Amino acid sequence: MNTATDPLYTARPSAFGNIDPFLVRLLIVMSMTFSLLPPGFNWGHTDPSGSYAEGSLIFQIEFGSVFAIGAMLAWRNRGWSWRHVLHLNPFLILMVAYCAATMLWSPYPIVTLKRVIQLIGLVLVGIAISPPVGGPQQLIRTMLGTLMVLMGISFVVALAIPSVGIDYELGAAWRGIMTQKNTLGAIAGLCVVFWLKESLGQVFPRALCYAGMLFAFFILVMAKSSTAILVATLGSAIYMVVRKRYLTGQFESRRIVLVLAMAAMLALLVFYTLESRLPDIDELLSPITAIFNKSTDLTGRTDIWRLVLLEINKHPIFGIGYGAFWLGEGSPSQSIIDILHWIPLQAHNGYLDIFNELGIVGLCLLALVFIYHIVSLVRLTAFDREEAAIHWAMLILILISNLSESEVFRGVLFQNIFFLYSSTSISARLTVHRMQQEQQEQQRQALAKQQPGKNLEPRGPAR
């Protein structure tokens, strides 16, 4: 199906001209840029808690404008918006509703309300930029352009203003205009994967794709982030595996899952046969951490995990309240601050943070959100493997990185924004595809009525 000429993908003109494609790109650029740069564009002093617990004016203006433009675009195309709401991931809607319900027992209901408003705003923007208002590939390509511009500016800043763009305390690692080197490395790693995708397509010249990939790799090396190198390597591998039909035939996705599960079970069986016990967490992580010169305690993260598990025992069913735990001194996390003697603002494990704030109810809802998302990706893979492959790669990277960082369903952070936009976009693609099939079937039936003497069913191979 040529989406460029399909009527479902033809934007509705208005008195102001066809501004919808521009608004879609603007929303993607604004939301990605604001999520990556320091809150309030304050490079001199970054207080991670300032914009989330108390709420800075600049921060509110930044994302308030994103939500306002998103609401306007959704209203302009309210027919599509309502259709997308009806076909959205139902567990995503339940998750947002449950987050809102935790205001009833949250120790900081106003903070919880602010976090819920952020979630609702991001979902609304995701619906507004989804197909057919936004093109099928528009999210990824606009992200690529945005990240390349940010890397280009970071390159200039690192060379021209090294006191800002280079972190000499971390081995002269580049951070550019980002808050830290890992953020710059992460977007460089994603750009490597995105340029790999484009180099296999027909939209951009191969020379441009290879040049972009080389520049992103250079930034990746200068950022000195081993985690980002893992993102680039693993993301590229996942994309290539999903994109190519290595396992063809019926139920291919189930075969992939079955092969991976059997490999994991076989490895556990061999270990149990040799050691008469199952491996502990250090033994499972040590081969991976050794590659990147990391300790198996994940740079002290397991200390925080143990303390958070003790907090979870205080409210295991419903949680303490969405976004109401990591709020600095004087907040419910004070007991952990007293033990660690420093102020953490997350558990460095997104699943533990969900468990702590939303309880087992929220953790189960999160699992259902991911399961429904995976099922939707399998359905998308059936008719658009190219687009599905990049979403598969990003989802797996998000699931893995959420083990050591808290991003999913955590405000306006980059990975949370991408996941919500990806979820709404995939649901919209499935809706549009279903409508296209219905249109084709109606056209076939209409043609059959006009030519009743002809068999319009497709013929099978000669026997």
Side-chain angles (χ1 to χ4, degrees):
M1 175 68 66
N2 183 2
T3 57
T5 59
D6 190 271
L8 290 177
Y9 283 90
T10 303
R12 176 176 56 84
S14 70
F16 303 99
N18 187 11
I19 64 171
D20 288 355
F22 169 77
L23 292 178
V24 169
R25 294 186 182 92
L26 179 64
L27 285 169
I28 297 173
V29 170
M30 291 174 65
S31 54
M32 296 301 171
T33 301
F34 294 156
S35 69
L36 290 169
L37 296 183
F41 303 121
N42 184 1
W43 284 271
H45 175 70
T46 302
D47 179 9
S49 67
S51 296
Y52 299 104
E54 299 174 1
S56 70
L57 178 60
I58 298 179
F59 176 83
Q60 293 172 359
I61 292 174
E62 287 174 358
F63 280 95
S65 61
V66 171
F67 300 155
I69 297 173
M72 181 186 72
L73 182 59
W75 177 255
R76 277 175 49 80
N77 301 278
R78 48 192 174 275
W80 282 112
S81 299
W82 178 244
R83 189 184 297 271
H84 292 332
V85 169
L86 295 177
H87 295 93
L88 205 61
N89 184 333
F91 301 108
L92 175 59
I93 297 175
L94 287 176
M95 185 70 167
V96 175
Y98 180 68
C99 289
T102 63
M103 283 189 293
L104 298 175
W105 57 86
S106 170
Y108 293 91
I110 299 301
V111 175
T112 299
L113 175 61
K114 291 179 180 179
R115 296 290 181 89
V116 171
I117 291 174
Q118 291 173 5
L119 273 182
I120 295 174
L122 292 175
V123 172
L124 177 62
V125 174
I127 290 172
I129 66 175
S130 292
V133 180
Q137 301 286 341
Q138 199 160 17
L139 173 60
I140 299 300
R141 286 178 179 148
T142 306
M143 274 184 60
L144 175 57
T146 304
L147 300 184
M148 288 298 293
V149 170
L150 293 177
M151 283 198 303
I153 298 174
S154 295
F155 174 81
V156 174
V157 170
L159 294 179
I161 317 175
S163 60
V164 175
I166 299 179
D167 193 337
Y168 291 101
E169 294 182 359
L170 296 175
W174 284 21
R175 65 186 176 195
I177 57 174
M178 306 300 161
T179 54
Q180 56 175 317
K181 70 181 185 69
N182 289 334
T183 304
L184 180 62
I187 66 173
L190 290 179
C191 285
V192 170
V193 181
F194 291 162
W195 279 121
L196 173 64
K197 170 187 176 296
E198 296 300 338
S199 69
L200 300 173
Q202 305 295 328
V203 175
F204 299 107
R206 291 284 176 86
L208 176 62
C209 296
Y210 295 149
M213 197 182 306
L214 183 63
F215 178 70
F217 184 76
F218 171 77
I219 297 295
L220 180 62
V221 171
M222 298 306 294
K224 299 182 180 181
S225 173
S226 56
T227 303
I229 295 174
L230 175 62
V231 167
T233 305
L234 185 59
S236 299
I238 295 170
Y239 172 75
M240 292 301 295
V241 169
V242 177
R243 180 180 183 273
K244 202 71 175 174
R245 292 180 178 272
Y246 290 114
L247 297 176
T248 57
Q250 194 176 16
F251 307 123
E252 56 181 302
S253 299
R254 298 182 188 180
R255 293 181 185 180
I256 294 175
V257 174
L258 182 61
V259 168
L260 294 176
M262 290 177 63
M265 293 299 294
L266 180 60
L268 288 175
L269 178 60
V270 170
F271 186 93
Y272 188 84
T273 302
L274 296 176
E275 301 289 337
S276 298
R277 62 182 179 84
L278 292 176
D280 57 31
I281 186 65
D282 286 351
E283 290 167 324
L284 289 173
L285 294 176
S286 58
I288 300 175
T289 55
I291 296 175
F292 300 100
N293 195 28
K294 300 288 186 181
S295 61
T296 53
D297 69 347
L298 294 173
T299 321
R301 286 179 172 88
T302 52
D303 294 333
I304 303 178
W305 297 352
R306 295 187 186 97
L307 296 173
V308 172
L309 285 172
L310 294 177
E311 293 294 327
I312 290 174
N313 290 332
K314 300 177 182 178
H315 34 69
I317 306 300
F318 301 108
I320 191 172
Y322 181 57
F325 187 77
W326 299 107
L327 299 176
E329 293 184 336
S331 72
S333 62
Q334 183 64 51
S335 59
I336 296 180
I337 295 173
D338 294 338
I339 295 174
L340 296 178
H341 303 294
W342 58 281
I343 304 176
L345 292 172
Q346 56 165 297
H348 289 282
N349 184 302
Y351 307 109
L352 280 182
D353 272 332
I354 291 293
F355 199 178
N356 185 33
E357 295 181 359
L358 301 178
I360 190 65
V361 175
L363 197 61
C364 290
L365 281 174
L366 178 67
L368 291 172
V369 169
F370 284 136
I371 291 172
Y372 191 94
H373 188 75
I374 290 171
V375 171
S376 298
L377 274 175
V378 171
R379 294 168 61 193
L380 179 64
T381 306
F383 65 88
D384 194 339
R385 181 174 291 269
E386 182 69 25
E387 183 183 2
I390 197 66
H391 287 277
W392 271 112
M394 290 294 295
L395 172 64
I396 294 174
L397 290 176
I398 288 172
L399 292 175
I400 294 174
S401 66
N402 210 46
L403 290 168
S404 59
E405 297 292 336
S406 298
E407 293 234 1
V408 178
F409 284 97
R410 204 167 158 78
V412 291
L413 299 181
F414 177 81
Q415 287 191 9
N416 187 42
I417 291 176
F418 178 83
F419 175 75
L420 294 177
Y421 288 3
S422 173
S423 178
T424 53
S425 175
I426 291 169
S427 297
R429 281 300 317 276
L430 295 175
T431 299
V432 172
H433 178 69
R434 182 168 55 251
M435 293 179 64
Q436 289 173 336
Q437 289 183 316
E438 292 173 355
Q439 279 187 351
Q440 292 173 355
E441 178 62 21
Q442 292 173 358
Q443 292 173 357
R444 191 194 65 79
Q445 292 178 357
L447 188 58
K449 291 179 180 180
Q450 294 176 1
Q451 301 175 342
K454 294 184 178 181
N455 183 10
L456 298 178
E457 294 293 334
R459 296 183 180 181
R463 298 182 181 274

